Amino acid sequence: MEMVLFEEKGLVGVITINRPKVLNALCSQVLDELNEVLDSIDTKKLRCLVVTGAGEKSFVAGADISEMSTLNKEQGEAFGKKGNDVFLKLEAFPLPTVAAVNGFALGGGCELAMACDFRICSDTAVFGQPEVGLGITPGFGGTQRLARIVGPGMAKQMIYTARNIKADEALRIGLVNAVYPAAELYAAAEKLAGSIAANAPIAVRACKKAINEGAALPIAEAVVCEEKEFGSCFQTADQQEGMGAFLEKRKHEAFTNR
Ligand code: CO8
């Protein structure tokens, strides 16, 4: 792997898109490598993923415009599918995922961040879907996920105007959960991921599944999703330890993912 790096830091895995010379633009090779990295992650051992970009300037400045510029209609659709397939895999990945957005998150970069469970960013971050200014639509899920995260009115305004927004506005509209000084972002991401990793992994993953699957369903069906995930946590060693510790008024032992 050259364009996507993967590092384990204790219970946390860090995925870094690594093409800093072109602001980490997503070419086919990046998408293939991201797919391979996701397939290779030990989900039994690790408990949370952080996704970020190499360098100080950019998370990901979009899909690779050089690669896209000569595509025909069929190739364009196929490229969109390639990105969507990988981002769907990331979105449904069993481990919780945090995007640490360290600069430009434009087009496919904003879409990559939105395929993570939630986003935190540096005060230098810039978000946007500039595609209509290039004569295309967002193609890696932007028309769908942005509307679900910030609401259809704000998503349509951002997409139709192709206007970039800064970190403070991204925070105000709920696209990111928190903004940090650039020098503190990685430490904050690792701390946040560590605090997720300390909770019972079976339960955290069941929450992710219930929230993701339920979001596409009417409420009466969505709560059935929740019931199933809730039930799946019982008789696990971590449920017994978590509840046992509460009843015995002691701090629980480290959860074991069993
Ligand atoms: N693709 C390819 N190369 C890029 C990209 C990109 N998206 N972004 C930056 N680069 C390259 C530049 O060409 C430049 O290369 P070089 O040094 O060889 O000239 C290098 O990165 C540095 O960039 P700049 O010199 O432009 O840096 P600035 O600080 O002046 O500007 C910006 C930074 C504002 C981020 C600017 O680079 C920019 O506007 N980039 C493009 C942003 C953009 O429009 N992104 C959306 C792309 S479209 C998309 O993502 C669609 C996703 C779905 C695809 C579905 C397919 C069907």
Side-chain angles (χ1 to χ4, degrees), residues 57-95:
K57 192 169 167 184
S58 183
F59 174 71
V60 166
D64 190 313
I65 299 171
S66 317
E67 182 175 338
M68 283 190 297
S69 61
T70 55
L71 300 183
N72 63 28
K73 289 185 195 300
E74 290 71 30
Q75 290 165 331
E77 192 173 330
F79 189 52
K81 177 167 167 39
K82 190 183 190 66
N84 276 335
D85 286 349
V86 184
F87 288 10
L88 282 169
K89 185 179 277 190
L90 176 62
E91 184 172 52
F93 201 71
L95 303 185

Side-chain angles (χ1 to χ4, degrees), residues 125-148:
V126 176
F127 295 82
Q129 296 290 160
E131 286 89 346
V132 295
L134 296 164
I136 58 171
T137 67
F140 293 163
T143 58
Q144 306 308 310
R145 291 194 182 93
L146 186 59
R148 289 171 198 213

Side-chain angles (χ1 to χ4, degrees), residues 121-127 163-173 175-176 179:
C121 74
S122 63
D123 52 8
T124 55
V126 176
F127 295 82
R163 185 175 70 87
N164 292 342
I165 61 170
K166 292 185 178 161
D168 55 346
E169 192 171 354
L171 180 66
R172 186 178 60 76
I173 66 173
L175 183 54
V176 299
V179 181

